[in-house]
Amino acid sequence: MSALRPLVLLGSATLLLAGCADPSQPADASTSPSSGASAAAPIAKNAALAAKVPAALKASGIKIASDVSYPPMDFFAADNQTVVGAEADLDKALGTVLGVKVTIVNVPFDSILPGLQSGKYQLGVSSFTDTAEREKVVDFVTYFDAGTSLLVPAGNPKGLKPGGDSLCGRAVAVAKGSTQALVDLPARAKSCKTPIKVSTFPDGTGVNLAVTSGRADAALADSPVAAYAAKQSGGKLEVAGDSYGNAPFGIAVPKNSELTGLLKSALEDLKASGGYQQVLAKWGLQSGALDTFEINAAS
């Protein structure tokens, strides 16, 4: 979420992360691992890492806060209960490596970080761009590279472009608490003679509907999310131009948590086994794979 996805906070429903695949989704993503993945290697527990998980978390499991409205990263399957998506699959894989049960809690994006600070959740996995501002309140372990994309009606009737002053005077939809809303558009507005008309929505669904319904001329969203929205729109939406402002997504962890180093090691284990590449390939997101995982990598 771009510079990226929303900063965010929460709500309710706690869901056991059950199956990672919705038979009807994703319609356009490969289900086979990329060439860099270890073909049939199952994701397995790493006993050495599992032994380092705090006893209290082994007993209670790990609660992961996520805004489950962000396909293909996190969204509900057709049953409206099962959480699916690239990040949901990664959550499950990391739980397997660490030998701990994980649950996903559906939380409004701008409520996730406060929930971590209060101890309500142990992790936030919701396409958070690792930024210096966010690092003041949480730590991050990076796992994916993404940028911001401009989503417009099919045919781009107003000829909008992701860069320059193309959005000045236009109605642009963004997610509440996102980097696009808090950093990107305010920076652009400084050079606009005619103000950008910013419309904020609590989730990605509202952002997309604003464009398809004509209430907004365009939307700014994380590149994988915008691409997926365009592909699933039935020809109503398209991505204009190239993405920009690429930066890593990070797993948000409360400051000084014992889980921070463990998560980095678990990601490295997944990469070595091919599981990391397998998860991304399933959702067609191989281009966002990181060569190395870092803690607090904001520039």
Side-chain angles (χ1 to χ4, degrees):
M1 195 95 87
S2 270
L4 298 159
R5 177 158 175 168
L7 265 166
V8 214
L9 319 189
L10 157 66
S12 38
T14 301
L15 302 164
L16 176 61
L17 180 55
C20 283
D22 174 358
S24 65
Q25 299 288 349
D28 57 323
S30 168
T31 56
S32 61
S34 66
S35 58
S38 177
I43 295 170
K45 175 180 175 180
N46 181 311
L49 294 179
K52 297 179 181 179
V53 175
L57 289 181
K58 287 181 181 178
S60 67
I62 295 175
K63 287 185 180 180
I64 302 177
S66 178
D67 178 356
V68 187
S69 67
Y70 220 58
M73 309 308 281
D74 301 279
F75 60 110
F76 287 113
D79 62 7
N80 289 320
Q81 296 183 6
T82 306
V83 182
V84 297
E87 288 176 332
D89 282 0
L90 187 64
D91 293 342
K92 183 181 181 182
L94 289 171
T96 298
V97 171
L98 294 175
V100 63
K101 182 185 75 172
V102 297
T103 60
I104 292 180
V105 183
N106 183 26
V107 176
F109 188 72
D110 59 0
S111 298
I112 295 175
L113 298 188
L116 292 176
Q117 290 178 278
S118 70
K120 197 169 187 178
Y121 318 106
Q122 285 75 53
L123 302 177
V125 184
S126 200
S127 300
F128 280 102
T129 302
D130 181 357
T131 67
E133 188 66 23
R134 287 172 176 160
E135 285 179 7
K136 293 177 181 178
V137 295
V138 295
D139 290 323
F140 285 102
V141 182
T142 62
Y143 61 92
F144 188 76
D145 183 71
T148 289
S149 289
L150 180 66
L151 195 64
V152 298
N156 194 7
K158 297 187 177 179
L160 303 181
K161 299 177 181 180
D165 60 1
S166 173
L167 299 183
C168 295
R170 302 296 184 181
V172 181
V174 289
K176 181 181 179 182
S178 66
T179 305
Q180 291 90 349
L182 298 178
V183 179
D184 191 353
L185 287 181
R188 287 171 178 260
K190 294 178 181 178
S191 62
C192 286
K193 294 181 180 180
T194 305
I196 298 172
K197 303 168 187 174
V198 181
S199 295
T200 58
F201 296 86
D203 56 36
T205 301
V207 171
N208 296 342
L209 285 175
V211 182
T212 56
S213 68
R215 285 181 292 154
D217 298 314
L220 288 175
D222 296 341
S223 52
V225 174
Y228 189 84
K231 289 178 181 177
Q232 299 296 315
S233 70
K236 295 179 181 179
L237 299 171
E238 67 178 60
V239 172
D242 299 324
S243 65
Y244 62 91
N246 277 47
F249 283 167
I251 299 171
V253 192
K255 279 291 184 184
N256 305 313
S257 169
E258 296 175 85
L259 288 176
T260 305
L262 279 175
L263 288 167
K264 181 176 182 292
S265 296
L267 283 165
E268 291 167 346
D269 181 272
L270 274 178
K271 188 174 178 67
S273 71
Y276 171 72
Q277 300 90 322
Q278 198 167 321
V279 167
L280 295 186
K282 174 180 175 180
W283 297 94
L285 300 176
Q286 301 94 312
S287 63
L290 294 179
D291 292 328
T292 58
F293 310 106
E294 299 180 78
I295 295 173
N296 292 339
S299 55

